[in-house]
DNA sequence: GGCTTTACACCTAGGTGCGAACTT
DNA sequence: AAGTTCGCACCTAGGTGTAAAGCC
């Protein structure tokens, strides 16, 4: 994922569906992004692989993206697809825009947090998400990504250009379309567009309903990861 | 003010400052728009006057614009200028976009409502604002306006074009600039840009602080009103 | 005739990857 | 050499009044 000083959106954006909440209870929904491991990576061009290049840089200030619809009732949250498209990433450790601060060339994983309103007193954009009763975190293996300041991998660049409306200006209309389609197809998880994963109980919430967290519009290992290296172009 | 089927913003937008709230109490802030009288108007071109043209049309469905930052603490509300720039007006009585429905060729006045959160259970975008304990309404004589579907008055058109960034394409750069400035100047209330008006007590709120509602960026009788007819161009 | 609707050119505001320049 | 920064052309998305057409 591209990170810049000014802040850059993620593409694709994380989108999520939640069920199993108490319809009449108020919740905050938030996202943070945590390191996958303690390593720094570099992209080895000739082998088309990300390889360990030492230990991770020193930790960055904690940041939390609180979904702008927060707080809202369980009913409201469950009725919609919850999109994190306004979340921005930065590599500026002195950022004062409330963006999520990350190191380049590291691997990260977004986490979705569901926080009962009465347990959210400590929730802040610049403090770690509180844990305990009434707070639950979810993460998805297919949303791991690697941060970069410039793409390392032509397939990913093509994928971004072809799927992101804001990059339309870089498409070579028509030509190479087949290559792209094939690339997309090579990710089994790209379809179907709506997945369902288990949503474990939130402490303090009635347990009788099934609890699912659905991610719609996959956000897979899309970004400069070796598994994206296919035989295409 | 222009109203359309699809919905049109007000320009200038209503902007307001509030003080005297309980910093730790939660409030909703909302706006509705009420008729000034029971009349319908028409613009008489040769005399440059709005004149009564019969009784008002039948009432429209009630709509309330709930400020998107709602609910928030008194501290949060008081720290910022509260802008209603996303509010939209429509003449479509069947509107389902949550816009405020008005009749064309009528006079209206916006009202700002401050609602203690625990008194806001009945607050809804499609019901009249509740009244009673913990709810307070404010309105300002200089914000009265007349609705139109097309401007009736060249001075107002010029004012809109020159002050609204989105209408820049219609400015004749440089030429007639003097005429516009003089027109603006002719409204004493245009400067200073921040006014202070008395904010009466909200029932149930401690009374010890001075209570002001400040309107910044005047929203005066800007729209097709006879007082805007000056000697300029 | 008076008012409303519609498509439109022209803006603001801001999200893209690019490629040259810069840094280390 | 490898990674980062910056200005940019090119988009999306949507807010303006206009002028012609439509409505009653």
């Amino acid at each position: 994922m591209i990170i810049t000083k000014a802040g850059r959106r993620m593409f694709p954006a994380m989108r999520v569906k939640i069920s199993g909440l108490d319809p009449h209870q108020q919740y905050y929904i938030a996202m943070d992004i945590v390191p996958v491991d303690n390593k720094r990576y570099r992209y080895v061009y000739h082998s088309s692989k990300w390889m360990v290049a030492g230990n991770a840089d020193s930790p960055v200030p904690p940041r939390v993206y609180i979904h702008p619809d927060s707080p809202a009732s369980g009913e409201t949250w469950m009725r919609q697809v919850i999109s994190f498209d306004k979340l921005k990433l930065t590599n500026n450790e002195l950022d004062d825009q409330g963006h999520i601060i990350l190191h380049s060339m590291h691997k990260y994983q977004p986490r979705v947090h569901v926080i009962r309103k009465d347990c959210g007193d400590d929730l802040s954009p610049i403090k770690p998400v509180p844990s305990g009763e009434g707070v639950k975190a979810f993460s998805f293996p297919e949303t791991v990504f690697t941060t970069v300041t410039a793409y390392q991998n032509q397939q990913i660049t093509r994928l971004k250009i072809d799927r992101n409306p804001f990059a339309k200006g870089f498409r070579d209309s028509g030509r190479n379309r087949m290559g792209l389609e094939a690339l997309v197809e090579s990710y089994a998880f790209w379809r179907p567009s709506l997945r369902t994963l288990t949503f474990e109980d939130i402490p303090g919430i009635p347990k009788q309903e099934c609890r699912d967290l659905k991610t719609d519009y996959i956000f897979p290992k899309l970004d400069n990861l070796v598994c994206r290296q296919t035989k295409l172009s």
Side-chain angles (χ1 to χ4, degrees), chain A:
Chain A
M1 208 64 69
I2 294 268
I3 58 179
T4 67
K5 191 172 170 186
R8 205 80 154 184
R9 291 186 176 179
M10 294 201 277
F11 185 86
M14 194 84 175
R15 297 175 70 204
V16 122
K17 282 199 77 143
I18 299 183
S19 60
L21 299 177
D22 177 349
H24 304 302
Q25 173 71 50
Q26 297 283 118
Y27 300 89
Y28 296 97
I29 306 285
M31 177 171 288
D32 64 2
I33 298 183
V34 294
V36 165
D37 54 28
N38 202 34
K39 298 301 176 186
R40 159 179 266 277
Y41 288 83
R42 68 189 183 90
Y43 189 74
V44 181
Y45 196 78
H46 69 83
S47 60
S48 299
K49 279 190 169 69
W50 285 98
M51 307 194 72
V52 171
N55 287 324
D57 297 338
S58 48
V60 288
R63 291 293 173 89
V64 177
Y65 177 81
I66 301 169
H67 193 284
D69 292 357
S70 302
S73 66
E75 183 181 2
T76 303
W77 289 121
M78 290 190 291
R79 201 166 42 214
Q80 56 179 319
V81 173
I82 302 167
S83 171
F84 294 88
D85 57 332
K86 299 242 183 348
L87 179 156
K88 287 188 177 181
L89 310 180
T90 184
N91 58 351
N92 178 10
E93 304 198 28
L94 303 173
D95 171 85
D96 61 354
Q97 307 297 300
H99 302 148
I100 291 185
I101 304 171
L102 301 177
H103 282 128
S104 188
M105 314 305 274
H106 290 237
K107 289 195 184 184
Y108 289 101
Q109 177 158 34
R111 291 192 305 186
V112 176
H113 300 267
V114 180
I115 302 140
R116 268 221 325 274
K117 183 167 183 216
D118 53 302
C119 304
D121 299 334
D122 268 4
L123 187 60
S124 157
I126 57 169
K127 294 197 302 195
V129 177
S131 62
E133 179 85 5
V135 182
K136 187 72 193 171
F138 302 91
S139 54
F140 307 94
E142 57 271 65
T143 63
V144 169
F145 63 86
T146 306
T147 45
V148 294
T149 57
Y151 293 128
Q152 308 287 310
N153 172 320
Q154 185 56 46
Q155 279 84 348
I156 291 309
T157 305
R158 176 95 110 293
L159 202 48
K160 304 269 186 176
I161 288 175
D162 226 82
R163 311 302 285 202
N164 190 328
F166 291 109
K168 201 181 207 174
F170 299 102
R171 293 182 196 159
D172 40 41
S173 37
R175 204 162 49 79
N176 278 334
R177 207 103 201 29
M178 197 48 214
L180 182 275
E181 288 306 325
L183 177 62
V184 169
E185 231 100 299
S186 76
Y187 298 94
F189 40 72
W190 188 274
R191 293 195 209 320
S193 62
L194 202 70
R195 276 173 58 96
T196 302
L197 298 176
T198 302
F199 186 49
E200 303 94 0
D201 295 344
I202 299 186
I205 296 299
K207 190 185 177 128
Q208 66 267 25
E209 305 165 52
C210 84
R211 310 183 187 295
D212 303 320
L213 188 60
K214 299 175 183 171
T215 76
D216 149 37
Y217 189 123
I218 295 306
F219 184 90
K221 298 165 184 176
L222 263 186
D223 210 36
N224 289 316
L225 297 177
V226 65
C227 71
R228 236 166 300 102
Q229 292 293 343
T230 72
K231 50 186 173 281
L232 315 157
S233 90

